[in-house]
Amino acid sequence: MAGGLRTRKKQRLWIVSTALTAVIGAVLLILFALGGDGFNLFLQPTAVKEKQIVAGQRFRLGGLVKAASFRRLEDGLTYEFLVTDCVTDINVHFRGILPDLFREGQGVITEGRLDDTGLFVADTVLAKHDENYAPPGTAPKDAGLCEHPEEGGFGAYTKEKNLVAKEEEALL
Amino acid sequence: MHKYANPAKFNELADKILPWAIFLTVSCFLAGLYLIFFEAPDDGEQGVRARIMYVHVPAAYAASATYFSLAVASFVALVWRHPLALIAGRAAAPIGAMFTVLALATGALWGKPTWGTYWEWDGRMTSVLILLFFYIGYMALWRAMEDHEKAGRASSILALVGVVNLPIIKFSVDWWNSLHQPASIFRVDGPKIAPELLTPLFVMLVAYQLYFVVVLLWRMKLEIGARKIEMMRQVAMSEGRRV
């Protein structure tokens, strides 16, 4: 009797473990095979150029606000800045209120459309916070952020990754 | 392990642990709150509002950790039919759901001034919302069936299916471009938070886990009592007495 009980438990252990592994494997495969880019909240400038997105199509563009690129246009209402992934830059125009954390060297996610000249006209700008927390004055954000892109709060992208993508493109 | 399958034995053990656990929980929360409000400096970028992380991060961590314990309990319940495992799972789910709601709410409140939005459908936020749905589904399934054994088995299977969501939550910020920042604490190259901000955070992490232990034990005792009443009622009914 006790032997029978043990084999039944062993059987259940196998069934449950196999089913669990199969479900996890299946979901992760679906995520990576079918989901892929679809789960990305935004495109980085290099990806925008690669995908050759047509003017007028709405999408989110994310990256770092390039150092010394931020200015206000003559109309006094429109902001202009470059969004960069340290390889490609895209010029962005935005009319509206910028979030508190918006600054050069900081991550940003903008939503809008490319116009015919390749200018990205954004109607929404979100600031992206990075993973660093420090007391005031101890960790200044500087223009050299592109030398350490992993510190810009963009864990998913590195300069290296985008450079490799660009090289591959050049080879084709 | 099977020694504590006996509910009376478990209750005895829980009563021994509880006073200590309560004492430690209260001390940790008091110490944590003191550190948060009187010792920790502001964050250089965000100022005072970064302090919401002392509520948010432990809640988010506890939401995932609780789900993991729910899954382990469900696994044990399915394979070894350990009577306390079902009870533990059922007791843990509402606590985990509460942690998840807290993480989502504090995240939204922080997101508005920091990012400029309460909510965005990015990988991290969406996967945590799905975690909440798994908790709610688990609790709903328990209530949907009369038979305790059947309900327990169905809910346990659901809980195990939801395990796949845990690595997705953890790595969503690495796999995909997201609005949520990558991990600050549990990362290969060490924490990205300055030590004077990190210490209170760790105290709060421990406090939340202790709180979980206390409430879990309370809820398990409650569940055992409820089951006992239910069984007595069934016995009484089968004997034809009015109840």
Side-chain angles (χ1 to χ4, degrees):
Chain A
M1 186 60 208
L5 206 61
R6 197 167 300 152
T7 45
R8 236 188 305 154
K9 276 181 184 170
K10 209 173 241 176
Q11 209 177 355
R12 283 203 299 261
L13 179 65
W14 275 108
I15 292 171
V16 175
S17 310
T18 319
L20 189 62
T21 320
V23 168
I24 292 178
V27 172
L28 291 182
L29 276 177
I30 290 169
L31 278 184
F32 284 103
L34 297 177
D37 287 349
F39 289 101
N40 286 326
L41 185 67
F42 57 86
L43 291 172
Q44 293 170 23
T46 306
V48 172
K49 290 274 151 71
E50 270 171 19
K51 287 182 194 266
Q52 297 178 328
I53 288 174
V54 291
Q57 189 189 331
R58 198 175 165 78
F59 67 99
R60 292 195 193 87
L61 166 73
L64 301 171
V65 181
K66 194 169 188 160
S69 76
F70 179 73
R71 69 190 188 98
R72 201 190 283 246
L73 295 185
E74 285 71 32
D75 65 359
L77 292 171
T78 311
Y79 296 108
E80 183 184 55
F81 51 92
L82 289 173
V83 168
T84 181
D85 55 15
C86 302
V87 176
T88 313
D89 302 342
I90 289 184
N91 200 5
V92 177
H93 277 190
F94 173 66
R95 249 180 188 225
I97 298 165
L98 290 167
D100 201 28
L101 265 192
F102 182 94
R103 62 201 67 169
E104 289 175 352
Q106 185 74 256
V108 76
I109 297 171
T110 62
E111 193 170 353
R113 296 177 169 88
L114 283 172
D115 72 2
D116 297 327
T117 61
L119 173 81
F120 189 79
V121 183
D123 50 45
T124 311
V125 171
L126 300 178
K128 189 170 151 65
H129 183 49
D130 60 34
E131 65 270 39
N132 301 298
Y133 286 78
T138 49
K141 288 258 160 48
D142 59 12
L145 200 65
C146 268
E147 306 307 312
H148 312 279
E150 72 281 0
E151 287 178 7
F154 287 85
Y157 99 73
T158 61
K159 191 179 175 183
E160 286 69 34
K161 201 165 120 190
N162 282 325
L163 279 173
V164 167
K166 206 174 191 186
E167 276 163 18
E168 280 170 357
E169 192 188 3
L171 284 174
L172 294 170
Chain B
M1 188 166 80
H2 279 268
K3 188 179 154 201
Y4 295 104
N6 178 345
K9 279 263 165 57
F10 170 81
N11 274 342
E12 241 172 65
L13 180 75
D15 285 335
K16 258 181 227 157
I17 298 172
L18 267 170
W20 293 99
I22 293 168
F23 172 74
L24 284 173
T25 308
V26 174
S27 324
C28 259
F29 269 115
L30 287 177
L33 288 173
Y34 173 78
L35 288 174
I36 291 164
F37 287 107
F38 298 105
E39 294 290 333
D42 281 355
D43 174 67
E45 289 282 340
Q46 309 172 41
V48 73
R49 75 170 175 272
R51 281 173 215 264
I52 204 164
M53 77 170 167
Y54 299 119
V55 184
H56 173 77
V57 176
Y61 175 75
S64 286
T66 304
Y67 198 89
F68 186 72
S69 16
L70 172 62
V72 170
S74 301
F75 189 83
V76 172
L78 282 176
V79 173
W80 289 285
R81 302 276 149 88
H82 193 288
L84 275 181
L86 272 186
I87 289 171
R90 195 176 187 185
I95 316 172
M98 192 267 302
F99 285 141
T100 316
V101 169
L102 192 61
L104 287 170
T106 51
L109 290 176
W110 177 83
K112 184 64 183 171
T114 312
W115 297 328
T117 181
Y118 286 111
W119 183 263
E120 191 62 60
W121 293 99
D122 89 336
R124 173 57 69 80
M125 284 166 243
T126 310
S127 55
V128 174
L129 186 66
I130 290 171
L131 180 73
L132 178 63
F133 292 158
F134 267 107
Y135 276 127
I136 294 173
Y138 177 88
M139 291 188 282
L141 205 52
W142 256 111
R143 289 183 162 253
M145 283 181 243
E146 282 282 314
D147 185 84
H148 186 85
E149 287 291 313
K150 254 189 207 157
R153 217 167 296 164
S155 325
S156 299
I157 291 171
L158 178 71
L160 282 183
V161 171
V163 165
V164 69
N165 195 26
L166 292 182
I168 296 176
I169 293 175
K170 167 71 185 155
F171 296 111
S172 54
V173 288
D174 302 322
W175 289 341
W176 306 304
N177 295 332
S178 61
L179 178 58
H180 196 286
Q181 62 266 30
S184 284
I185 309 169
F186 301 105
R187 46 187 292 147
V188 188
D189 54 351
K192 287 282 186 184
I193 300 180
E196 55 268 57
L197 283 87
L198 191 59
T199 314
L201 191 53
F202 266 120
V203 175
M204 289 305 275
L205 275 171
V206 174
Y208 272 60
Q209 292 307 305
L210 285 165
Y211 170 86
F212 170 71
V213 171
V214 170
V215 181
L216 180 75
L217 290 178
W218 271 339
R219 291 189 56 89
M220 283 178 75
K221 283 178 65 177
L222 202 68
E223 181 72 23
I224 289 169
R227 293 273 299 138
K228 214 181 269 176
I229 291 171
E230 183 57 33
M231 267 170 354
M232 282 158 80
R233 182 173 290 156
Q234 274 169 12
V235 169
M237 284 210 308
S238 67
E239 285 172 2
R241 281 189 276 137
R242 286 182 60 196
V243 281

